Each structure stands twice: as C-alpha cells, then as structure tokens.
Amino acid sequence: MPALKGCYLMIHFSRFFAFVLSAAASLTFAANFGPAGFIYEENQVPPYTTSDPLRCQDGSLVKDVQTWENKRRPELLEIFSREVYGRTPGGRLAGMHWEETSVDRAALGGQAVRREITLWFTENKNGPKARLLIYQPPGNAGKHAPWPVFLGLNFFGNQSVANDPAITLSPAWMRPSAEFHVVENRATEKTRGVHAGRWSIETVVARGYATATLYCGDLSEDRSEGLVRDVGALFKTKAVNERAPDEWGAIGIWAWGLSRIMDYFENDPELDASRVAVHGHSRLGKAALWAGAQDPRFALVISNNSGCGGAALSKRIFGETVQRINGSFPFWFAVNFRNYNGREDKLPIDQHELIGLIAPRPVYVASAQEDRWADPKGEYLGAKLSEPVYALYGKTGLGVKEMPALHYPVHGDGLAYHLRAGKHDINTYDWTRYLDYADRVLKKP
Ligand code: GTR
C-alpha cells in the first residue's frame, strides 16, 4: 500500500511537473511573441467585421474617383484625425529655414556624398530644430537626376544609422538602452552604427537612391514629456492627459516632421521631391503611414512591421491591442483613441482605410513571421482590404486572394507585401525588396 501510495504521489507529482513545465513553456511561447495574455493564434481571433472604405457615413457607396476625393477621402481623414492620431496643425511654416552644416563628397570610402542639414522651424534660431542626415550617390545623377530619396526617422540619433565617425553625435534626449549604448538618456560614441544593419546605406546608395534620416526625438521625445517640448511646444500642445480629445500626439508630430522635411526637399536641387519614399519601422512605421495619408507629396509609403495603429487591423485584436498601446504609450495617439480601449468593434474606421487614404500612390507593407505582437496577417489585411480604393483608380492593388507565403513577396499594382522570417526588425531582406519595388515605381524609365 505505501508503495502504491508512493506511486500515486509520483503520478501526481509528475502530472504537476508536466503542468508546470507546459505552463512555463506556454509562457515563454507567449513571451517569444510578446507579453502573455494577448491573442497570438488565428483560431482565437473573435469574429469581426471591417468597414467598406467606399461606404460613406451617409450610407452611400463611392463609385468614382471624384466622389472619393471630394467626399469620402476627406471624411476618412477627419475620422483618423479626430479619433486616432489627433489633428495636425496646418502646412508650411513661414519662418522655417535651414543650413548645410557639413558636406563630404567622398564619404563612406568614396561610395557616397554625406550632407548634414539643420532645419529650424521658426525664424529665430532658439525655436525647435532638427538635424537631417543625407547620403546620396557620388557624382552626377545623369538621367536619374535629381536623386530619388528614401526618407525615414530613426530611433537613436543619426550617428546610429551608419559606421561613419563623421556624423554629428545626437545631443538630444533618448530612451535608455543598454543594448544600444544610450547612457543616462544620451547617445554615447558607442551608439555609432548600432542600427547600420537597419539602414543598409551603402546598398541603398549603390542602387541609385539618396537616403535621408532624422532622429524622431528632435521632433518629439518618445515619452509623455515630449509633447510639451520642441515641436509640441511650438504648437502649444497640452500635457499628455490635459490635451483636448482630438489634439495630436507623438505620432502626429513625427508625421508632421516628415512633411517639413519634404518642404526642405522641394528646395534641394540635388534631390527629387516628386520621388520620395517615406518609410518607417514599427512606431516610426505608424508615423510614416500617417504622413503618407495626409501628405500626397510622398510618392511611395513603406510600413515595416508597423503593427497596431499602423498597418494592422485593430478589430482583430491580435497581439497588441488598442487598450494596451494607449496604456503603454499614452502620448502616441489622441486622447479620443482611448474611447476604443477594449472596444475595437466600435471604431468607425480600421487601418485598411488609412492605407486607402494613400491610394493611388503605392504602399508597401512588410511583416516578420515571429513578430506576432504586430499581427502579420492583420498587416497583410490592412493592405488587402484597401484594394477597393485602388480599384477606383483602375489599379488591382496586391492582386492576390490569400496572404502570401513566407518569402514570397507580392509586388502588385499599387500595393506590395512581404512576410520574412525572423523577428521584429528591418534587415537586408526587407531593403532588397523595397529597392526592387522602388525601382519599379520611382525610377525613371
Ligand atoms: C512596442 C510597441 C509597438 C511598436 C514597437 C516599436 O513596444 O508595442 O507598437 O511600436 O514598440 O516601436 O518597436
């Protein structure tokens, strides 16, 4: 009997351990994708309905470009401004001016021209300023003159995007990062080139493009306090929780900054402002999409793993949710967006309509297989479900019925998508595809 009892206990113990092990495994499993307690499996996605981008608020259906551009598109822009990102204060700034602070026509061992430009947003130099870094191919652009441009904001200062000791080290506030050598909220010398892999500058330049970048924190620091400093202060933005419900947040400010850089490009004879691809990774991909939606001057928009509040449909509540993003980053979106915490089904729009706002200009959405937090399928659907808008312009969009398989990029007429292996990141696989697509939609024949 005692032996039996022991045996019993052993069974109980082994069951218990099996339970603990499997619980731990599922926790790490979830941890590989993102925090536990969120949906990471397709069969857990609750039923949801997405809105038809062509259905107006009065119930009528858009059938032509004119009605789209004069009625439905402004309606959608208004909803995204009011309910999601907050309103962007209008247009160009009379006092904005700039100065080229450095130029090296034989940078990166002669492979590129490097220029640094300081942009001041006001006439007086005490106002907010941002430091733009540009690399472009050396020599004359020939039939490609002036150079088409890739433009994106960066996370850790301009010096992080290339192994080039001559780039000015960012003096600005930065989120702490032991991995990337940000110490006491400042970039150190060791931050040089930490994100070089994310920018592939030599490759981009060798393929005949200029590439320009600016630290997002020059526009608005990536924290609540940022809203009342720099560009936020210039527009008298209120503190994060004191904002009017439709006042902008950091994503709105970053998108605004991308448009101001475009204002600068229009005045730079070496760059072609009519052929600018605006791109961004993750939170900066959200900003790139919002910039592309508001500013028709961007000829191509690239969303790299932009996830919730970017290309991914919110109503799938897969991975990051509206409640979670508003909780973790209360300063990114408008206060109104919090009305949809745990109530995604009540959203009057979804992110496919953000992409539809960019049509007929091309949009490239890319996902990473392990980046479940950003919901790869939701990102694909964000692109796919915007197709009716492209159809108004006689374009097919992606032109596929199913989500493309791993490493089967689809470069369609107006929309492109790929899913690559690996984690939340941007690497040479992504860049090679973006360049291939840009060759098609931006290069002169
Ligand atoms: C995460 C956030 C995502 C994404 C990401 C990033 O913490 O939940 O929405 O923006 O950061 O920017 O890398």
Side-chain angles (χ1 to χ4, degrees):
M1 201 60 186
L4 246 183
K5 220 176 182 179
C7 189
Y8 227 57
L9 270 178
M10 284 242 308
I11 289 171
H12 271 283
F13 263 121
S14 58
R15 276 200 188 147
F16 175 72
F17 279 120
F19 168 77
V20 170
L21 277 178
S22 79
S26 70
L27 266 182
T28 11
F29 196 53
N32 279 340
F33 296 147
F38 294 85
I39 294 175
Y40 299 106
E41 297 302 332
E42 201 54 38
N43 60 15
Q44 289 171 19
V45 173
Y48 63 93
T49 38
T50 46
S51 34
D52 179 345
L54 302 185
R55 178 77 62 192
C56 297
Q57 280 172 305
D58 64 11
S60 63
L61 200 61
V62 175
K63 295 204 177 68
D64 53 74
V65 167
Q66 208 196 359
T67 317
W68 167 257
E69 290 186 354
N70 298 330
K71 184 176 176 185
R72 179 60 176 156
R73 190 175 182 282
E75 226 174 69
L76 280 172
L77 254 184
E78 163 63 18
I79 301 174
F80 276 103
S81 302
R82 192 183 62 225
E83 305 294 322
V84 183
Y85 302 103
R87 296 186 191 281
T88 306
R92 289 162 203 265
L93 301 165
M96 179 173 146
H97 62 288
W98 49 82
E99 206 175 287
E100 194 171 80
T101 55
S102 82
V103 54
D104 181 353
R105 298 218 167 247
L108 303 179
Q111 290 179 68
V113 172
R114 183 196 60 249
R115 297 189 284 147
E116 291 181 302
I117 319 279
T118 300
L119 310 173
W120 285 271
F121 298 119
T122 54
E123 224 159 305
N124 120 18
K125 290 201 164 34
N126 300 324
K129 62 168 187 261
R131 303 156 196 92
L132 185 65
L133 170 70
I134 302 171
Y135 283 97
Q136 66 198 47
N140 195 303
K143 75 166 184 170
H144 293 299
W147 301 111
V149 192
F150 279 89
L151 165 66
L153 301 176
N154 65 68
F155 284 80
F156 289 119
N158 294 346
Q159 80 291 338
S160 68
V161 308
N163 288 304
D164 181 346
I167 303 172
T168 306
L169 189 72
S170 172
W173 180 94
M174 234 159 253
R175 275 178 175 267
S177 167
E179 185 187 357
F180 296 120
H181 313 288
V182 177
V183 178
E184 290 175 3
N185 301 109
R186 301 288 150 185
T188 62
E189 281 292 325
K190 284 190 176 167
T191 59
R192 291 191 179 282
V194 288
H195 272 168
R198 279 193 177 178
W199 287 82
S200 297
I201 287 182
E202 284 87 347
T203 313
V204 177
V205 167
R207 297 267 306 246
Y209 294 88
T211 183
T213 186
L214 184 149
Y215 170 48
C216 67
D218 277 6
L219 300 163
S220 189
E221 294 168 355
D222 192 12
R223 57 172 174 167
S224 293
E225 292 87 330
L227 293 185
V228 294
R229 300 159 57 93
D230 305 307
V231 174
L234 180 64
F235 289 99
K236 301 189 169 48
T237 309
K238 303 265 187 341
V240 59
N241 294 327
E242 287 158 24
R243 288 174 296 161
D246 60 352
E247 230 176 306
W248 65 356
I251 292 176
I253 299 179
W254 296 334
W256 174 92
L258 289 164
S259 287
R260 300 294 70 79
I261 299 170
M262 182 57 115
D263 298 344
Y264 164 77
F265 288 162
E266 288 182 329
N267 290 279
D268 186 331
E270 299 188 57
L271 305 177
D272 188 348
S274 73
R275 293 185 294 146
V276 176
V278 65
H279 63 96
H281 170 62
S282 204
R283 68 198 65 184
L284 300 178
K286 307 179 210 296
L289 284 168
W290 182 224
Q294 295 177 94
D295 190 338
R297 294 175 296 173
F298 291 112
L300 166 64
V301 180
I302 300 172
S303 149
N304 192 86
N305 308 179
S306 64
C308 181
L313 296 183
S314 301
K315 291 185 184 177
R316 283 166 50 78
I317 58 171
F318 190 109
E320 189 168 28
T321 62
V322 168
Q323 177 156 9
R324 169 70 183 215
I325 205 165
N326 280 327
S328 316
F329 306 99
F331 57 97
W332 278 2
F333 297 91
V335 168
N336 267 340
F337 197 39
R338 300 176 194 173
N339 294 334
Y340 305 99
N341 285 354
R343 306 168 74 232
E344 281 86 348
D345 58 315
K346 298 287 185 293
L347 275 164
I349 41 75
D350 210 338
Q351 300 304 108
H352 60 302
E353 288 164 310
L354 179 70
I355 294 175
L357 283 171
I358 303 169
R361 291 166 292 140
V363 179
Y364 197 133
V365 173
S367 309
Q369 195 181 31
E370 288 170 30
D371 186 17
R372 301 225 174 180
W373 187 236
D375 185 12
K377 183 161 182 198
E379 293 176 319
Y380 156 73
L381 287 171
K384 173 73 190 162
L385 297 176
S386 72
E387 282 183 339
V389 188
Y390 285 86
L392 289 176
Y393 292 90
K395 297 192 168 208
T396 45
L398 282 174
V400 290
K401 290 209 166 65
E402 301 291 332
M403 180 171 172
L406 185 66
H407 298 158
Y408 272 89
V410 171
H411 289 180
D413 177 15
L415 292 165
Y417 178 84
H418 73 242
L419 175 68
R420 76 156 159 76
K423 61 183 177 65
H424 186 67
D425 200 1
I426 166 166
N427 63 22
T428 47
Y429 180 91
D430 301 305
W431 272 111
T432 309
R433 266 80 236 163
Y434 298 151
L435 287 160
D436 288 349
Y437 197 57
D439 281 354
R440 200 167 115 187
V441 299
L442 290 186
K443 277 271 173 85
K444 290 176 186 164

